[in-house]
Amino acid sequence: MSDELDRIRREMHAVLQQPGVRPDDSLQITRRTFIHRSLLFGAASVGQTFAWWPLLNTIDVAHAAEAPFKFAWISDTHLYERSLNTRFVDKVVRAVQEVQAMDPPADFLIFGGDLAQLGKIEELELGVELLKDLTIKKYYIPGEHDWYLDMGKKWGELFGQPNWTFDHKGVRFIGLDTVSRGPDYWTVKKMTPEERMGHMATLDGTVAGAWAGVGRDQLDWMQKTLADWDKSKPIVIFSHNPLYEYYPPWNFWVRDWREVNEVLKPYTKVTNIHGHVHQVLYNEIGSMRSIGMLATSWPWPYAPEGVPKLTKPMIRADPGDHYDGVGWETVNVNADDKVDVEYIMWGRKEVFVQSDPDSSLSQPEKLRPRMADNMWPY
Amino acid sequence: MTIRATVLGTLCRPSFVVAIAAVAVFVGPTSAHKAPHTPEQLKLYEDLLMEEVRKGDLLFHGDAATAKQMNVVLSTTGMACAMCHPMASDTHPQSYPKFQVETSKFATLRDMINWCIEKPNQGEKIEIDSEAMKALEAYIHWSNAGSVLVPGKH
Ligand SMILES: [Fe+2]
Ligand SMILES: [Fe+2]
C-alpha cells in the first residue's frame, strides 16, 4: 500500500507540480489570525469555556468578486436518529444558530455531505428539519453516508440533482457528486441495503474499495459548464472528497484526480473546498488549491501517511470534549478581491498546532488495514 | 542430578511457561525431552492471535453480533472505537504505560480503552482481563505493528 502510494505521489509531483505551475499569485496563502467576536451567544457549558474565542484562519483565495460577500459551510453532521444520539443533533443546532446569527448575513450555505450517518430516511429528514431554521439559500452535495442505503433515492427527493452550478458576484460555483459512482461490491455478495451501507459507513473498511470519484460523465459536464468562463476568473468547486490524492484507504481522494486536473488545467484561479476528512487540510495541485473543512460531528485523525506538506495541522482534539476539534466555516469574499476561510472550531482558541506535543503527527504510526470485514459473512 | 536442575531452570523462564501453557494440549505433561517448535505449533500460535485480532477488529468497529456474543456494551451512542480511530490510528499502544491526562493517572492501554468506552461512548466498562479486553488489545497492537516503541510519549 505504502509503495503504491509513494509511486502515485511521485507521479502527482512530476505531473502536477512542474516548476512554475501554482495557483495564481493572488491565491497565495497569507495566514492572519484574529479573535472572532460575533459568536458570543448561546449557552456555555463545561468544556466550552474556551470555545467562544476561536482562532480564525485567513487564507487569501480568489479575486475579482464584483462585491464583497460571504458564505458559510457546514458538513459531516452524521446524524443518527434523535432516540440514539442527541449529541450530533445539538451540534447541528449550534452551527445553524451561529450561521443564522452572522452579521452581515451569509449569502448562502453550502452543505458538504454526510448529513446522515446510515442514510436512513429518518436521519435525512431530521437533517432537513434542523437546517430549516437557517433561512438563507442552501445548496447540498451528498456524502457517502447519505447515499448507499437506498442509492441516493431519498437524498434526491429532498435535495434534487447532486451536481449543480451557479454564478454569484463574479465567481462561478460548482457542486460535485464524488460519492455515487462507487464500484458494485454488494450484488455478488448478496448484501442487504443495510449491509451495503454498513461497509460504506466504515471509513477504514476494505470492502467498498475506491468509491470516491467524479466520473467521466460528470467531468464532461464540468468541462461544458466551464467552457464559457474566462480562464482568469475565480472558480470555487465544492466536493465531498478532496480532488487530489491524500490517503486512498480512507477515500481521502477521488480516484480520477488526474482527469479532474486535465479539465481544470486552463483555469488559473480554482479553489476546491471539501468535506469528508473532518480535519483542517490545505494543498495545492497544479493551479488548484484545496481546502479541507471540519465536521460538526467528530474529528478524524490525520492519516498515517500522505498529509500534504502545505497543511498546517490542526490541534489534537480532547477526546473528552465532543465540542473539540469540530465546527463550521465562513468563507468571506472581500472588497479587495480576496477570500478568507475561517475555521470556527468550538473547543479551541488555537485551531492550529502550536508545538509538537499538540500534534497527532508528532508520533509517527505504521498501520495495517482492518481484516475482519473481508471475511464474509462474519 | 545436574541435568534435572538444568531442566527446572529452563522451565522457570517466563516465556517458556507461557509457551507450555499454550501447547500443553498437544505435548501433554512436561518432560525432559523437549523438541523445537514445529511449523504446526507456530501456525497454531498465529491462528490463535489472528482469531483474537478478528474478534477485536469486530468489537472495535461496533459489530453488534460480536458484542452480544461476548456480552459487552461498548457504546450506547452509536459511536464505535473506529469512528475516532480508523485502523486503530491515534491509539498509540506502543506509548503505554504513560501518564494519561484524561484520568490523571499513570495508565495502561487497558485503562484508556475503558475510559473511551465509559466517557465518549457511554458504554459499560469491561473487566480489565476479560476476553473482550484481550481481543481489543490484540487488534490495536496488531494494527499498529511497525510503529516504534516510545514509552511515555504524549
Ligand atoms: Fe463524514
Ligand atoms: Fe464522508
Side-chain angles (χ1 to χ4, degrees), chain A residues 136-156:
Chain A
I136 55 174
K137 174 96 182 119
K138 291 171 283 226
Y139 297 91
Y140 295 79
I141 52 174
E144 77 280 15
H145 287 254
D146 303 321
W147 203 266
Y148 281 82
L149 185 67
D150 63 3
M151 302 311 289
K153 184 168 173 288
K154 183 67 187 179
W155 195 94

Side-chain angles (χ1 to χ4, degrees), chain A residues 22-149:
Chain A
R22 283 201 61 212
D24 187 275
D25 265 358
S26 67
L27 305 185
Q28 269 179 3
I29 325 171
T30 60
R31 291 202 163 94
R32 357 182 214 114
T33 57
F34 52 93
I35 288 176
H36 201 275
R37 285 151 303 149
S38 67
L39 302 172
L40 286 165
F41 83 101
S45 64
V46 184
Q48 295 170 30
T49 320
F50 306 106
W52 302 109
W53 306 102
L55 175 144
L56 303 178
N57 177 41
T58 299
I59 303 173
D60 301 328
V61 179
H63 85 136
E66 285 157 11
F69 67 96
K70 52 177 134 183
F71 62 92
W73 166 286
I74 299 175
S75 78
D76 295 278
T77 53
H78 290 266
L79 287 163
Y80 282 109
E81 287 165 71
R82 245 186 244 272
S83 54
L84 177 60
N85 181 324
T86 53
R87 192 186 291 179
F88 295 168
V89 174
D90 294 344
K91 291 192 271 188
V92 179
V93 169
R94 180 164 171 180
V96 164
Q97 282 176 353
E98 291 176 357
V99 173
Q100 184 71 11
M102 280 170 66
D103 183 21
D107 281 17
F108 53 85
L109 173 88
I110 304 294
F111 189 91
D114 285 350
L115 179 61
Q117 168 65 5
L118 296 171
K120 293 183 182 174
I121 289 174
E122 296 79 8
E123 295 170 349
L124 291 165
E125 283 179 344
L126 174 60
V128 171
E129 178 199 321
L130 297 173
L131 285 158
K132 209 168 263 168
D133 292 339
L134 190 49
T135 49
I136 55 174
K137 174 96 182 119
K138 291 171 283 226
Y139 297 91
Y140 295 79
I141 52 174
E144 77 280 15
H145 287 254
D146 303 321
W147 203 266
Y148 281 82
L149 185 67

